[in-house]
Amino acid sequence: MASTLILGPVLAQVSLTLAVFVLLLLRKSVAVKSGQVDRQKVALDNKSWPDQVVQASNNIANQFETPILFYVLCLSALALNAVSGWLIVLAWGYVLSRCVHCYIHVSSNYVPLRMKVFAVGVLILFFMVAYLAWYLTFQS
């Protein structure tokens, strides 16, 4: 199996983050053009934007929290030549959980469901850590 297959989920996660930046730009543009914001206030306080803009902005912040661990794990696996089919499945599962989390966050923002999906993603990260710890202990 090609170790570089782990880069597919990494690129997908990066693409998700960039897509949320585009969504934020679009939502900000709409808010400014429709006169929903005081430009002086939003220059100093991000919470002065309409809720939809704040949701997208908060989601971008989320894309730099647990995904950082995901990137480290994937790139570590690549560097250690520890990529396996299981790890690739886990990585795609994590990215899928992040896509669902993002969708919930920037749409309904229903926190109980969002928290469950977030927990699934974190659990997948635990499995990825366990896999790499096993690999370092028994395979290297």
Side-chain angles (χ1 to χ4, degrees):
M1 169 182 307
S3 292
T4 54
L5 288 176
I6 198 70
L7 296 177
V10 170
L11 292 174
Q13 180 60 42
V14 169
S15 297
L16 174 63
T17 304
L18 293 174
V20 180
F21 274 113
V22 170
L23 176 65
L24 178 62
L25 176 65
L26 293 173
R27 287 184 176 182
K28 282 186 172 184
S29 295
V30 168
V32 169
K33 288 178 184 175
S34 67
Q36 296 178 32
V37 295
D38 177 339
R39 289 183 184 192
Q40 296 290 345
K41 284 185 181 179
V42 296
L44 298 174
D45 182 12
N46 194 39
K47 301 299 181 191
S48 296
W49 287 98
D51 287 349
Q52 285 193 330
V53 173
V54 175
Q55 280 177 300
S57 181
N58 288 347
N59 188 261
I60 286 173
N62 286 171
Q63 299 306 329
F64 292 96
E65 293 171 354
T66 64
I68 299 298
L69 301 174
F70 171 73
Y71 297 136
V72 168
L73 291 168
C74 289
L75 296 177
S76 296
L78 184 62
L80 295 167
N81 200 27
V83 177
S84 70
W86 285 110
L87 193 63
I88 292 169
V89 168
L90 288 170
W92 278 114
Y94 176 77
V95 172
L96 178 61
S97 77
R98 295 304 301 165
C99 289
V100 173
H101 180 271
C102 178
Y103 176 77
I104 295 166
H105 200 174
V106 301
S107 61
S108 71
N109 201 22
Y110 183 63
V111 175
L113 181 58
R114 198 177 93 205
M115 188 174 13
K116 288 176 185 173
V117 174
F118 178 81
V120 167
V122 170
L123 183 62
I124 291 170
L125 289 176
F126 275 114
F127 283 124
M128 291 176 73
V129 167
Y131 170 80
L132 284 176
W134 172 85
Y135 181 86
L136 287 171
T137 303
F138 298 107
Q139 298 298 315
S140 58

